[in-house]
Amino acid sequence: MSDVRHVLVLPDRDAAEEVAESLGDRFGVREEPQLVRDALAGEDDAEDAQWLVVVEDPAGRLDATALDEFAAEYEGWRESGH
């Protein structure tokens, strides 16, 4: 089974940090999620950047639907196809 990586897209840094902190309690994620700033294509304004929370899931045990719903609580979503 190949490693699974979930990418959660959040509207701002505060939301991304909250999600990253909550993942351990909510889903038992042991590895520190990676936060990545994702400037929207063609946008120069830093305020328009989205933040990605990258969650490594080597055992493939995280529920994608639950992660989707979790991200939605912070006005975000889970990227599919990763």
Side-chain angles (χ1 to χ4, degrees), residues 24-79:
D25 295 338
R26 187 95 164 247
F27 293 97
V29 173
R30 287 188 207 90
E31 269 190 59
E32 185 75 22
Q34 185 182 358
L35 267 62
V36 181
R37 183 177 175 273
D38 182 34
L40 297 176
E43 294 288 347
D44 293 329
D45 188 352
E47 295 303 308
D48 287 332
Q50 294 174 323
W51 283 78
L52 309 180
V53 177
V54 181
V55 184
E56 299 296 337
D57 184 18
R61 61 182 185 76
L62 295 176
D63 183 329
T65 304
L67 283 170
D68 222 358
E69 291 168 359
F70 176 59
E73 292 173 24
Y74 295 87
E75 297 179 13
W77 64 91
R78 184 185 62 84
E79 281 285 311

